[in-house]
Amino acid sequence: MALDHEKLDVYRAAIELIAWVGERLESAVELRRLPAAKHLDGASQSIANSIAEGNGKRSLADRSRYLDIARGSALECAACLDAMVARKRMAAAEAAVGKQTLERI
C-alpha cells in the first residue's frame, strides 16, 4: 500500500536525489566535512519532506507553500553542487548528474 505522496513522480525523484547524495558522501570522507556537502545532505532531505507534507495539505494555499519550500530546497542543492565544483571537490560532469535530477524535481 502506497501513501499518496509516494505515487508522485516528483517525490520519487526526490528520493533518488537523496540516494545519489548519500552515495557521494559515503564514498568520499573528505566531502562530508565541507559545509556545502552537509547542507546538500539536509536540503535534499528537505525536498522530499516538503513534498510529502505539502501533498497532505487540504488547502491549495498550504499545498503551494510546501511545494515552494521544496523548490527552494532544490535550488539550494544546486548551489551546493556548484560550490563543491568550485572547490574542486566534485567534477562538473558528476554535479550535472545531480542537477538533472533537480531539474526533474
Side-chain angles (χ1 to χ4, degrees):
M1 182 167 107
L3 298 171
D4 287 344
H5 66 276
E6 293 173 326
K7 299 172 188 172
L8 299 174
D9 181 60
V10 69
Y11 178 78
R12 290 191 302 268
I15 296 301
E16 287 174 26
L17 181 69
I18 290 169
W20 184 85
V21 167
E23 289 171 5
R24 291 322 111 339
L25 297 182
E26 289 297 318
S27 66
V29 176
E30 71 278 355
L31 269 184
R32 286 186 245 163
R33 286 180 255 165
L34 283 177
K38 290 177 184 177
H39 196 82
L40 176 63
D41 192 30
S44 65
Q45 181 66 57
S46 178
I47 295 168
N49 292 352
S50 296
I51 291 168
E53 189 169 356
N55 193 58
K57 297 298 181 184
R58 296 197 185 272
S59 79
L60 184 58
D62 282 345
R63 186 174 187 192
S64 294
R65 185 169 61 91
Y66 279 92
L67 296 179
D68 281 344
I69 292 167
R71 185 176 189 281
S73 295
L75 294 173
E76 286 180 59
C77 288
C80 291
L81 291 172
D82 289 340
M84 288 191 289
V85 169
R87 290 181 167 207
K88 301 186 184 341
R89 295 292 203 263
M90 181 179 283
E94 186 174 16
V97 173
K99 284 186 174 187
Q100 285 177 342
T101 304
L102 288 166
E103 286 175 12
R104 191 169 139 216
I105 292 168

